[in-house]
């Protein structure tokens, strides 16, 4: 949790050295802690009390780990006399935002790849991204629709048929995309009580996320007087909401998909007269010392959107619009309700 907090505050280079600099610069640009502060202030009071209770426990646990000299803490704190800062509800929300960024940045890359294809192949490029003929091109099926869906899947899609406007090498590359697409996925399987030998419903969930260190999921049992919460399952380290789990009445899962969650927008400088100017100082671990790196100027728009340090060759700037920067407290409140759902 402390590593995540340092990362989202743009302080990970203090622990991991030079390899943390790039991530620290991005985090300073996004200012997730600042956004989380505003979200925490506007949460429903019951939900804020849950986070406050969790924060008190997390603070106590980290303080005990620090006093007992747990190696992970000793290796990360250069100033051993400085006890870890108290955990706050805003820290929990910031961790949630950072993990959301981690899960959606794949979509950024897809956007960039599609832009390059469109630039290179013009009007023929959209065919490369058509869902026609793919297994999930039809959603929930009625019994009478099954045969039609099977027929659709048996027909060659646009990538298989080929397009005269595309070089054969590109068409071949497109056909190669089918293998990983068919083997990838994210799914829930549900079995009704009448088909179960326990007379209870079953749910199996596989979000197909990579194995990482630190791990993405943290298994917890959460209880709270507020809303009669008594749930167990997989949460994010630092954010006591269970994304995949169950309470005494209901079980739930999560599937993972890649959607268009961000845009890089070229904006004329004439429309960016009022910007927030940043001069971040990144502290980097070097042996037993902390070395400051004074970074060049960065900017945010008046609305707080990051202006990326990318040259355009024109009197303009590249602004990042990411859906996570537009999240409101009303979007986070329902996440808590699932813990006590009946």
């Amino acid at each position: 949790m402390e590593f995540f907090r340092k990362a989202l505050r743009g302080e990970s280079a203090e622990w991991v050295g030079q390899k943390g600099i790039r991530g620290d610069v991005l985090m300073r640009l996004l200012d997730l802690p600042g956004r989380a502060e505003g979200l925490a202030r506007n949460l429903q009071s019951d939900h804020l009390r849950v986070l406050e209770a969790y924060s008190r426990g997390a603070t106590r646990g980290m303080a005990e780990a620090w006093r007992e000299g747990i190696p992970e803490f000793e290796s990360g704190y250069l100033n051993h006399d400085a006890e870890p800062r108290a955990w706050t509800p805003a820290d929990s929300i910031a961790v949630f935002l950072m993990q959301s960024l981690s899960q959606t940045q794949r979509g950024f890359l897809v956007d960039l790849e599609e832009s390059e294809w469109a630039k290179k192949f013009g009007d023929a490029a959209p065919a490369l991204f058509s869902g026609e003929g793919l297994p999930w091109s039809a959603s929930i099926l009625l019994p009478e629709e099954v045969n039609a869906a099977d027929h659709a899947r048996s027909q060659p899609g646009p990538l298989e048929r080929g397009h005269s406007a595309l070089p054969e090498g590109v068409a071949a590359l497109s056909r190669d995309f089918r293998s990983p697409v068919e083997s990838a996925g994210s799914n829930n399987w549900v079995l009704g009580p009448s088909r179960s030998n326990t007379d209870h419903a079953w749910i199996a969930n596989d979000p197909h996320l990579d194995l990482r260190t630190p791990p993405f999921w943290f298994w917890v049992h959460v209880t709270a007087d507020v809303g009669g919460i008594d749930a167990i399952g997989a949460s994010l380290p630092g954010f006591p909401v269970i994304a995949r789990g169950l309470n005494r009445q209901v079980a739930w899962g999560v599937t993972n998909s890649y959607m268009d969650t961000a845009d890089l927008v070229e904006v004329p400088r004439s429309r960016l007269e009022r910007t927030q100017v940043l001069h971040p100082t990144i502290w980097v671990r070097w042996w037993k010392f902390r070395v400051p790196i004074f970074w060049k100027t960065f900017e945010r728009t008046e609305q707080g959107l990051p202006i990326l340090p990318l040259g355009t060759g024109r009197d303009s700037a590249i602004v990042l619009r990411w859906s996570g920067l537009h999240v409101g407290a009303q979007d986070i409140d329902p996440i808590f309700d699932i813990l006590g759902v009946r």
Side-chain angles (χ1 to χ4, degrees), residues 22-324:
R22 181 178 297 179
D24 283 354
V25 171
L26 175 61
M27 289 297 105
R28 298 290 182 92
L29 266 174
L30 294 175
D31 187 28
L32 299 184
R35 295 179 183 279
E37 289 280 357
L39 292 170
R41 286 194 297 268
N42 291 291
L43 280 181
Q44 292 180 18
S45 58
D46 285 354
H47 300 158
L48 181 58
R49 286 202 298 273
V50 171
L51 286 183
E52 288 172 341
Y54 175 83
S55 297
R56 288 192 294 270
T59 299
R60 185 167 59 249
M62 288 193 294
E64 290 174 357
W66 176 80
R67 285 193 295 269
E68 292 172 7
I70 292 178
E72 285 78 3
F73 263 85
E74 290 188 342
S75 65
Y77 277 91
L78 300 180
N79 181 358
H80 299 303
D81 297 327
E83 189 168 337
R85 294 184 296 256
W87 193 266
T88 69
D91 289 330
S92 291
I93 295 173
V95 166
F96 169 69
L97 293 175
M98 183 176 68
Q99 292 286 28
S100 299
L101 175 68
S102 173
Q103 285 302 293
T104 56
Q105 62 183 347
R106 168 74 179 273
F108 300 2
L109 300 177
V110 171
D111 264 3
L112 291 173
E113 289 171 0
E114 290 185 1
S115 297
E116 289 302 313
W117 282 102
K119 187 187 304 180
K120 189 170 184 179
F121 299 109
D123 294 339
L128 294 172
F129 310 110
S130 170
E132 181 184 345
L134 293 176
W136 48 84
S137 57
S139 56
I140 300 173
L141 302 178
L142 297 174
E144 61 270 20
E145 296 174 320
V146 172
N147 291 336
D150 288 341
H151 175 74
R153 281 195 292 268
S154 68
Q155 302 304 306
L159 304 188
E160 293 175 291
R161 288 194 296 265
H163 293 267
S164 58
L166 291 178
E168 175 52 34
V170 176
L173 180 62
S174 302
R175 287 192 292 272
D176 290 341
F177 288 160
R178 288 185 56 83
S179 177
V181 167
E182 288 182 342
S183 62
S186 182
N187 47 62
N188 278 312
W189 297 89
V190 180
L191 191 66
S194 65
R195 298 182 178 276
S196 163
N197 60 8
T198 64
D199 295 325
H200 294 286
W202 285 63
I203 179 172
N205 175 225
D206 184 357
H208 287 228
L209 296 177
D210 296 336
L211 295 176
R212 297 182 179 183
T213 301
F216 185 87
W217 297 119
F218 182 64
W219 290 86
V220 295
H221 182 191
V222 178
T223 61
D225 294 336
V226 177
I229 293 174
D230 184 8
I232 189 170
S235 73
L236 305 177
F239 189 57
V241 171
I242 294 172
R244 308 168 58 211
L246 68 156
N247 59 25
R248 297 289 179 177
Q249 285 78 33
V250 180
W252 58 90
V254 60
T255 55
N256 190 39
S257 183
Y258 298 110
M259 297 177 287
D260 186 5
T261 59
D263 292 302
L264 300 180
V265 183
E266 184 174 359
V267 181
R269 276 287 175 181
S270 60
R271 295 174 53 191
L272 297 172
E273 294 179 356
R274 297 181 181 179
T275 61
Q276 306 169 28
V277 180
L278 311 171
H279 301 283
T281 300
I282 306 296
W283 291 88
V284 182
R285 183 175 188 165
W286 181 71
W287 194 40
K288 295 184 178 181
F289 304 98
R290 289 196 317 158
V291 180
I293 295 181
F294 302 98
W295 216 258
K296 61 183 180 180
T297 299
F298 289 125
E299 297 175 278
R300 298 193 196 105
T301 68
E302 189 176 6
Q303 296 76 27
L305 300 180
I307 298 176
L308 302 183
L310 301 172
T312 64
R314 296 179 289 276
D315 189 21
S316 60
I318 303 298
V319 176
L320 171 63
R321 294 195 313 184
W322 170 53
S323 58

Side-chain angles (χ1 to χ4, degrees), residues 5-23:
R5 179 162 62 176
K6 280 190 170 292
L8 64 88
R9 293 173 67 92
E11 299 172 355
S12 65
E14 296 182 25
W15 270 18
V16 301
Q18 281 185 305
K19 62 183 180 182
I21 293 176
R22 181 178 297 179

